[in-house]
Amino acid sequence: MQNFIAEDEISKEILNSAKLLQAVQVNALILGKAGTGKKSLAKYILPNSDIYEAKNLQKDISNDVIFLQDEAIIIDKINEITNIDLFLKWVEANNIRLIGISNTENLNQKLKDVFSINLEIPTLSKREEDTKALVNKFSTEASSILDLQKVAPSKLIINVTNNAHSLRKSIYFSYLFETIGEHEILMFLEKYISENLHGENSYKELSYIFEVPLLKASTAKYKSQVQVAKHLGLNRITLRKKLEIYKDLL
């Protein structure tokens, strides 16, 4: 059974609804951004069911090469079903119970009407306790797989911009970062730059790679723009211009 993290109150409420869905034979739609735990929740509801990609399933239905009857299935990216009538006819004819997964609420109304219950999973930015639990899970996982001592929580890089997907990557990066030095960092930068060195204005186009992390680190450490400018050796006008240029990346 998949482990859906539920430490926050809103996640506990979602999990309680999922437990109910284990017992009742109704169709349910799980909504949420990428990495919020939709598949884990779906597998919690139907631990023994297969997950089908919507486009592939529709193709198989159209080609009449899928044979399911009186079963419960999970459909990922169900919003990508385009031949709604064909799909719904197949569901009804074969008495299929559906747990649908979608990262958007923008579904065809006929498809929406199939589902009796909608469960919407918030992003990790709104689930502080869940995030802490996932950090601990990924940290333990990274330590085991990479055969490294556990990194102190204060040294872990936490990135939830893409929910669990980006969080897991950032935790693994935190572990790898503990094993590399200045030489390796310069080597990585060189490789990235060499692969993106195009045109006749590369210095200006790629300078953000150095300046953005420098500005972010300095702003976090020194707080005020006066102190940032002082420690970076910039005048405040130049600093403000750079902050404006990179505002979307800071």
Side-chain angles (χ1 to χ4, degrees):
M1 184 178 291
Q2 294 290 314
N3 181 24
F4 177 75
I5 299 296
E7 298 295 330
D8 284 280
E9 287 305 315
I10 189 167
S11 301
K12 291 177 181 178
E13 291 177 7
I14 292 170
L15 193 61
N16 285 336
S17 297
K19 289 178 181 177
L20 177 62
L21 286 168
Q22 290 176 335
V24 296
Q25 298 297 309
V26 298
N27 297 328
L29 178 64
I30 302 174
L31 299 165
K33 299 294 185 181
T36 51
K38 299 187 298 297
K39 285 186 181 179
S40 294
L41 187 65
K43 289 297 288 184
Y44 180 86
I45 297 169
L46 299 177
N48 299 316
S49 295
D50 293 326
I51 299 178
Y52 294 85
E53 291 289 332
K55 285 184 177 180
N56 294 335
L57 178 62
Q58 179 174 274
K59 184 178 179 180
D60 289 345
I61 294 171
S62 180
N63 293 332
D64 196 24
V65 294
I66 185 167
F67 305 101
L68 295 174
Q69 197 165 36
D70 301 321
E71 292 193 32
I73 64 173
I74 299 166
I75 304 181
D76 191 24
K77 301 183 182 68
I78 197 167
N79 51 293
E80 294 182 357
I81 293 287
T82 54
N83 194 334
I84 307 297
D85 292 334
L86 173 70
F87 173 71
L88 295 181
K89 183 179 179 181
W90 175 80
V91 169
E92 183 177 1
N94 292 283
N95 191 32
I96 303 295
R97 182 196 176 192
L98 301 175
I99 300 296
I101 298 173
S102 174
N103 58 8
T104 175
E105 296 182 14
N106 187 26
L107 273 70
N108 179 282
Q109 189 59 51
K110 286 184 179 179
L111 197 54
K112 285 183 180 180
D113 292 342
V114 170
F115 300 102
S116 303
I117 296 177
N118 288 0
L119 298 178
E120 185 168 0
I121 307 177
T123 60
L124 287 182
S125 62
K126 299 178 181 178
R127 296 156 55 195
E128 183 178 350
E129 296 305 316
D130 289 353
T131 300
K132 289 178 182 178
L134 282 169
V135 166
N136 184 61
K137 174 185 176 182
F138 293 148
S139 181
T140 301
E141 179 184 296
S143 175
S144 175
I145 291 175
L146 300 174
D147 194 23
L148 296 171
Q149 293 291 323
K150 289 200 74 172
V151 173
S154 60
K155 291 186 176 183
L156 293 174
I157 300 169
I158 309 299
N159 178 7
V160 295
T161 55
N162 199 26
N163 300 295
H165 296 327
S166 58
L167 179 60
R168 188 170 186 268
K169 287 181 181 179
S170 68
I171 297 299
Y172 270 75
F173 181 80
S174 300
Y175 274 79
L176 292 173
F177 188 77
E178 290 295 302
T179 69
I180 65 176
E182 184 177 299
H183 176 75
E184 287 81 11
I185 293 172
L186 291 173
M187 181 177 66
F188 293 147
L189 282 172
E190 179 185 351
K191 178 174 175 57
Y192 180 85
I193 291 170
S194 67
E195 292 176 352
N196 292 274
L197 206 57
H198 309 294
E200 299 179 352
N201 201 23
S202 294
Y203 185 88
K204 183 177 180 180
E205 291 174 352
L206 294 173
S207 60
Y208 77 93
I209 295 172
F210 314 102
E211 293 191 316
V212 168
L214 183 60
L215 290 170
K216 289 182 75 172
S218 301
T219 302
K221 183 172 183 178
Y222 300 117
K223 309 304 180 185
S224 76
Q225 289 189 14
V226 174
Q227 290 298 314
V228 171
K230 174 184 175 182
H231 286 87
L232 292 183
L234 300 173
N235 65 56
R236 292 178 66 187
I237 295 175
T238 301
L239 175 63
R240 282 198 293 270
K241 286 182 179 179
K242 290 185 178 294
L243 292 174
E244 178 61 27
I245 291 171
Y246 300 125
K247 63 183 180 180
D248 292 335
L249 297 174
L250 295 172

